[in-house]
Amino acid sequence: MNGDAQSYLRPYARAARQYGGGFKSLLWASPHTQRQRFEALARAVDFSGKNVLDLGCGRADFLQYLIDRGTRPAHYVGLEALQELVDAARAKNLPNSLIIKADFVREPARMLVGADIVVFCGSLNTLDKADFYSALRHAYAAAGELLVFNYLCSSRLAGAAWLTWHKPQDVLAFVGSLSSRYRTINDYIDGDCTVAVERA
């Protein structure tokens, strides 16, 4: 990633210059908190046998998690903007998967891969309000059945200058404008929330 990286990608690009395709380039606090978010996603949605699109997939750790827990998707597509993380994801050579180098914010048409379920895990955390809601709208349109995402829902976890958080009532009002069928999970990490939205 060069110096022209979009502002929401710069924190990841800086980390990737230091850590390459390692875990620290994902900017998670720890593997434990990453796993807690994965668990919340898996509680919200059954990914077994589905075509899954993972936006901002990093090293495809979520796919590895699903395989390890026995809820393997039929097919998995990951979009990732950083070459270092694309390379790390592809190096895993996970079954029935395709990793594409793409910026889902600037290239929303790349979301149109025929996915049943579209997922964001942590990849919304550096987006400003406009890009956050635009990404959700495009992802919902690209989902055949469900959109599921997590986001920072208070300032508690958004201490770094590059992190953004959103008021739950605002997010749910937006989600409700897309579909009346949605559910939330917010009992896993204080300050993080997971939302699953069914296609209307």
Side-chain angles (χ1 to χ4, degrees), residues 124-199:
L124 298 170
N125 292 349
T126 61
L127 302 187
D128 63 23
K129 183 176 180 180
D131 284 339
F132 176 83
Y133 287 112
S134 176
L136 288 178
R137 187 178 298 281
H138 285 294
Y140 178 79
E145 298 176 11
L146 285 155
L147 163 65
V148 60
F149 64 96
N150 54 41
Y151 71 99
L152 300 177
C153 61
S154 82
S155 60
R156 188 182 186 286
L157 298 178
W162 41 266
L163 290 173
T164 60
W165 66 278
H166 305 271
K167 294 179 180 178
Q169 60 267 34
D170 293 343
V171 175
L172 294 183
F174 174 80
V175 165
S177 74
L178 301 176
S179 173
S180 62
R181 299 193 297 271
Y182 62 87
R183 53 194 175 276
T184 64
I185 298 176
N186 57 13
D187 60 356
Y188 55 101
I189 300 174
D190 185 16
D192 202 87
C193 185
T194 293
V195 183
V197 192
E198 295 182 38
R199 280 301 303 263

Side-chain angles (χ1 to χ4, degrees), residues 26 31 46 99 103 107 137-138 143-144 147-148 176:
L26 303 173
D46 182 2
I99 309 300
D103 178 351
E107 304 172 87
R137 187 178 298 281
H138 285 294
L147 163 65
V148 60

Side-chain angles (χ1 to χ4, degrees), residues 92-145:
K92 291 184 176 182
N93 197 30
L94 295 172
N96 301 318
S97 65
L98 174 65
I99 309 300
I100 299 171
K101 185 177 186 299
D103 178 351
F104 65 79
V105 176
R106 294 292 173 252
E107 304 172 87
R110 303 299 291 273
M111 298 183 190
L112 301 176
V113 297
D116 302 314
I117 302 171
V118 177
V119 59
F120 293 98
C121 188
S123 49
L124 298 170
N125 292 349
T126 61
L127 302 187
D128 63 23
K129 183 176 180 180
D131 284 339
F132 176 83
Y133 287 112
S134 176
L136 288 178
R137 187 178 298 281
H138 285 294
Y140 178 79
E145 298 176 11

